Amino acid sequence: MLATQSFKTALVVEGGALRGVFSTGLLDGFLEAQFNPFDFYIGVSSGASNLAAYLAEMRGRNGRIFMDYSLRPEFINITRCIRGGHLMDLDWLWDITIREIRLDLAAIYSKHKPFITVITDIQTGRAVYKVTSAEDLEHVLKASSAMPVFYRGYPKVEGRPMTDGGVTDAIPVGEAIRRGARRIMVIRSRNRTYSKCHGISEHFMRWYVRRHPALQQAMVKRVERYNNAVALIRTPPEGVSVVEICPPESFRVTRLSQDRHVLQEGYEQGRSLAMNAIARWKGMLPG
């Protein structure tokens, strides 16, 4: 559905669990440069959480989550998962970070710019583009990160069970265009040459959600949707320009990285590219 209000510029941030350390480094670099020329924002999973810290102007907050809280045994626990619990305990992570380093919700929404988080409705298998508010943001961010298998549950948003937004729209550049954006920056969590394929994890996830036919069908289309989004970034429609920012080929962070040095390296790779990204946005550099 097209937005009734005309927006021109958008910032889109991909998720990817621990790979999101790249985008939080880049966004911290933007904060250092006081760079925020965007009219609205769309994030998915950890990308949405990183956007929240950026809009709250809390430089370093999410870097601490990646390089401290995410490495604690309470968060990622394979033994717990084998016994039927969460692989990634989002309930614990949300509870402790809300207590200790809570987002400045007032600062986020004082800008009066739409902040949209992508979640997936398990009953319809469709992406939901939730325009967040101070009242629901923290819960919606958790729902957007609740990847099946990794988190055993479907948080309810407005009474409907939801799961990770990356299932249905991992890189929502198309939604940004539908909402009127004509200049878009997309921050990726994969390097430029990456192409999604049907691996073992994809097949296992489809089996895992077999009791939810619409969600299972969304899983079937996940690879195609992802690669189509990348193609749209590279060949946008007439009148639309996209600046794509990817981690370098040397980026070593994986979805479940537990090496602090690797995560710190990924954060610094993002932060070091901030000025380049700003220059590209301003037309000072090609691409």
Side-chain angles (χ1 to χ4, degrees):
M1 181 177 179
L2 289 173
T4 55
Q5 188 173 356
S6 177
F7 296 109
K8 294 183 179 180
T9 62
L11 177 60
V12 173
V13 185
E14 181 182 6
L18 278 299
R19 288 195 305 270
V21 74
F22 172 80
S23 62
T24 204
L26 187 77
L27 292 170
D28 275 358
F30 285 179
L31 287 175
E32 290 170 10
Q34 298 184 321
F35 176 75
N36 186 351
F38 309 103
D39 295 314
F40 69 102
Y41 315 83
I42 310 181
V44 185
S45 191
S46 63
S49 293
N50 290 343
L51 265 176
Y54 170 62
L55 293 173
E57 299 183 10
M58 296 176 71
R59 183 168 63 87
R61 186 237 186 214
N62 280 26
R64 182 177 170 189
I65 290 176
F66 282 105
M67 288 170 278
D68 177 3
Y69 294 94
S70 75
L71 299 179
R72 299 185 193 182
E74 293 91 340
F75 182 47
I76 295 179
N77 190 310
I78 295 175
T79 301
R80 180 181 60 212
C81 180
I82 293 171
R83 292 175 177 172
H86 304 302
L87 176 60
M88 302 174 71
D89 192 342
L90 298 179
D91 299 328
W92 172 83
L93 184 64
W94 256 247
D95 287 347
I96 194 169
T97 54
I98 286 173
R99 285 200 312 269
E100 297 182 359
I101 49 171
R102 191 171 195 174
L103 288 163
D104 187 340
L105 299 169
I108 293 172
Y109 295 99
S110 69
K111 297 172 176 59
H112 304 292
K113 295 180 179 182
F115 176 20
I116 299 153
T117 296
V118 186
I119 47 182
T120 297
D121 188 318
I122 72 165
Q123 295 174 344
T124 65
R126 295 178 180 174
V128 175
Y129 303 95
K130 173 68 176 170
V131 180
T132 61
S133 67
E135 290 70 34
D136 63 21
L137 176 65
E138 290 165 326
H139 182 65
V140 174
L141 289 177
K142 184 197 288 188
S144 185
S145 295
M147 173 64 83
V149 180
F150 294 85
Y151 179 82
R152 297 184 187 271
Y154 301 105
K156 289 187 176 181
V157 176
E158 297 179 353
R160 298 184 67 83
M162 300 288 176
T163 193
D164 193 317
V167 171
T168 46
D169 199 353
I171 316 174
V173 63
E175 183 64 18
I177 294 170
R178 284 188 288 274
R179 289 177 179 263
R182 292 298 172 262
R183 193 127 196 272
I184 305 165
M185 179 180 286
V186 178
I187 303 176
R188 304 277 310 282
S189 63
R190 296 281 197 177
N191 60 53
R192 185 174 173 82
T193 60
Y194 174 78
S195 179
K196 188 175 278 297
C197 60
H198 293 278
I200 293 174
S201 62
E202 295 289 328
H203 291 291
F204 180 72
M205 276 201 241
R206 289 177 209 163
W207 173 84
Y208 181 83
V209 302
R210 65 195 181 281
R211 294 177 183 172
H212 305 285
L215 182 58
Q216 187 179 53
Q217 189 58 33
M219 287 284 189
V220 170
K221 297 177 180 178
R222 187 166 173 243
V223 170
E224 179 184 2
R225 284 174 174 157
Y226 187 96
N227 292 332
N228 284 345
V230 173
L232 181 59
I233 290 170
R234 309 280 167 78
T235 55
E238 185 177 354
V240 175
S241 63
V242 180
V243 174
E244 178 187 13
I245 309 298
C246 298
E249 293 293 331
S250 59
F251 185 65
R252 298 189 291 160
V253 182
T254 65
R255 183 182 293 276
L256 298 176
S257 285
Q258 291 289 278
D259 186 318
R260 189 186 309 275
H261 297 293
V262 170
L263 289 165
Q264 182 70 49
E265 176 186 87
Y267 173 86
E268 294 298 340
Q269 286 173 318
R271 189 164 165 269
S272 68
L273 283 176
M275 296 311 295
N276 176 277
I278 292 169
R280 288 174 60 192
W281 179 262
K282 292 180 177 180
M284 296 166 62
L285 290 173

